[in-house]
Amino acid sequence: MSALGRSDDSVLARWWWTVDRWMLVMVFALMGAGLILTWAAGPWVARTIGLEPLHFVKRQGVFLVLAAVVMLAVSLASPRQIRRAACVLLPVSLLLMLVTVVAAPEINGSQRWLPLGSFTLQPSELFKPSFVVFAGWMLSAKIDNPDLPSWRAAAAIYAAGATMLVLQPDFGQLVLVTLVFLGQLTLAGLPFLWISALAVAGIAGLGLAYLTVPHVASRIDRFIDPSSGDTLQMDRALEAFRRGGLLGQGPGEGEVKRHLPDAHTDYIFAVAGEEFGTLAALALLAAFAVIVVRALNDLLTEEDPFIVIAGAGLVMLFGLQALINTAVNLALLPPKGMTLPFISYGGSSLLTLALTMGMVLALTRRNRYLTAPLRERRA
């Protein structure tokens, strides 16, 4: 990179001198940790379902390379290009979610995945970042022109996506999208009455799900009262952390992972705790925290409301997903199918997280070529 001097006006040079390199380093560190932990948890899971021991490790390696390419390519984009990409991806994701509800095979009581040969696509993963950017655009347009009812367009798209998530059903993703959208509405300065009404509607929706969807009620009941049913996942995850102690049992030496469902996906944080210890688990949490804090700090100096609202929404999406997954692993929340960003195995989740972080890196760039015209217009 020494050849990319500050006077160089090429796209790559501008990217190198304006991207948040510490954030980039932390994301690549998480990717590396994810490959190591897939190596720790994947072979045992592969053997139990009759696959070649390194099946998940090899696939994760391929997905990580593709994810790195996607993230770096997207991080080169301008805010306008990010907005346009979201406007293309959003209707595509909604259409695919509809197809999933209508025609996808049922897996564990849900219709969330579309089989595409050897790859399985989860359209709701694509919906999340595209909706957050679209909502940021609509809400920022209302700031620039208060008479525009643009926030209602964002609310309508949210309602459409939420309906699809309920029909699948996928209440974990619904909670995540709802929390992020409420955060964006707050940033946009919408009246507290509207935000409160939406929050109450969300709580009422969860209450309705508890009353009408048996597996939701079962998970909440077992979380509140472990004696009311099977709590194998929570018990095994906590046992993994207890066995790991401060420094862990050592790579490949974990025993609890052999009895832990979804050890390579939803509960990979517990595998990290058992084999590498509490210190390693805390290091992962620190990496997530650095990414979130640096992104929000970058956005504090931004003047464009679209960049602030969309960027903050994307960061909330990333940070809340990590928080929910780790809280589930520590039995602080009821079990739900949500991956740990860049750590859990899964191509669909990994590639859309790469898209999300590529958008964050693009929107937080301190690019004089992108921001100077805006400042001149505002002056």
Side-chain angles (χ1 to χ4, degrees):
M1 291 296 179
S2 59
L4 301 177
R6 289 184 180 272
S7 60
D8 190 340
D9 197 37
S10 67
V11 172
L12 189 58
R14 283 187 286 164
W15 174 84
W16 175 248
W17 290 110
T18 57
V19 74
D20 190 320
R21 281 171 271 178
W22 273 109
M23 202 190 314
L24 195 62
V25 167
M26 288 296 104
V27 173
F28 278 120
L30 288 177
M31 288 183 175
L35 187 59
I36 293 171
L37 289 170
T38 302
W39 203 304
W44 180 260
V45 177
R47 290 191 193 98
T48 60
I49 58 178
L51 297 174
E52 187 265 329
L54 295 181
H55 172 81
F56 294 116
V57 179
K58 293 176 180 176
R59 286 175 64 89
Q60 186 75 343
V62 173
F63 290 141
L64 282 170
V65 171
L66 293 174
V69 172
V70 168
M71 182 179 68
L72 293 175
V74 174
S75 71
L76 291 166
S78 68
R80 178 176 294 180
Q81 290 169 328
I82 294 293
R83 187 166 59 234
R84 288 175 176 174
C87 290
V88 172
L89 292 173
L90 184 58
V92 171
S93 65
L94 284 170
L95 178 61
L96 291 175
M97 288 171 74
L98 178 61
V99 172
T100 302
V101 170
V102 173
E106 185 175 305
I107 302 175
N108 296 328
S110 299
Q111 292 174 285
R112 304 177 187 174
W113 299 272
L114 283 175
L116 302 173
S118 60
F119 180 76
T120 304
L121 175 67
Q122 188 173 358
S124 60
E125 292 285 354
L126 186 60
F127 170 75
K128 292 186 296 184
S130 55
F131 167 71
V132 168
V133 173
F134 175 79
W137 180 29
M138 292 294 99
L139 294 173
S140 64
K142 181 171 178 59
I143 291 175
D144 290 333
N145 187 348
D147 294 330
L148 281 178
S150 54
W151 76 272
R152 291 188 176 87
I157 296 296
Y158 163 78
T163 300
M164 299 297 178
L165 291 172
V166 169
L167 292 175
Q168 290 183 359
D170 191 345
F171 292 103
Q173 299 287 11
L174 176 59
V175 169
L176 178 59
V177 171
T178 301
L179 290 174
V180 172
F181 188 43
L182 286 173
Q184 289 185 293
L185 291 173
T186 304
L187 279 175
L190 243 67
F192 183 72
L193 181 62
W194 283 106
I195 297 173
S196 300
L198 289 171
V200 169
I203 295 171
L206 286 177
L208 184 62
Y210 176 80
L211 295 173
T212 59
V213 183
H215 83 268
V216 173
S218 175
R219 289 185 177 187
I220 294 175
D221 288 341
R222 283 177 288 158
F223 175 73
I224 295 173
D225 180 13
S227 64
S228 65
D230 178 22
T231 57
L232 174 65
Q233 288 177 311
M234 291 188 290
D235 295 340
R236 293 297 188 191
L238 290 176
E239 183 185 351
F241 286 108
R242 285 193 293 267
R243 283 179 55 86
L246 198 63
L247 300 176
Q249 296 289 313
E253 299 299 320
E255 294 291 332
V256 178
K257 69 183 180 186
R258 302 182 181 185
H259 312 285
L260 182 63
D262 303 315
H264 63 316
T265 53
D266 300 348
Y267 282 90
I268 200 166
F269 189 61
V271 175
E274 182 183 18
E275 298 204 351
F276 298 94
T278 301
L279 291 180
L282 290 174
L284 288 178
L285 293 178
F288 286 115
V290 168
I291 292 171
V292 171
V293 171
R294 286 197 67 88
L296 293 177
N297 185 64
D298 289 340
L299 292 171
L300 283 175
T301 60
E302 185 53 59
E303 300 175 3
D304 187 333
F306 163 69
I307 292 177
V308 173
I309 298 172
L314 292 167
V315 174
M316 285 189 282
L317 191 65
F318 174 82
L320 284 173
Q321 181 166 331
L323 180 63
I324 291 171
N325 177 276
T326 53
V328 167
N329 275 251
L330 294 168
L332 299 175
L333 285 175
K336 52 176 54 66
M338 193 168 294
T339 58
L340 186 60
F342 296 114
I343 303 294
S344 297
Y345 169 81
S348 205
S349 173
L350 188 56
L351 292 175
T352 50
L353 282 163
L355 173 66
T356 300
M357 283 311 303
M359 289 177 169
V360 171
L361 289 166
L363 293 175
T364 56
R365 283 169 54 195
R366 301 274 64 83
N367 195 327
R368 64 184 184 275
Y369 298 97
L370 297 177
T371 59
L374 174 66
R375 287 178 181 140
E376 288 169 7
R377 289 197 302 271
R378 290 182 180 274

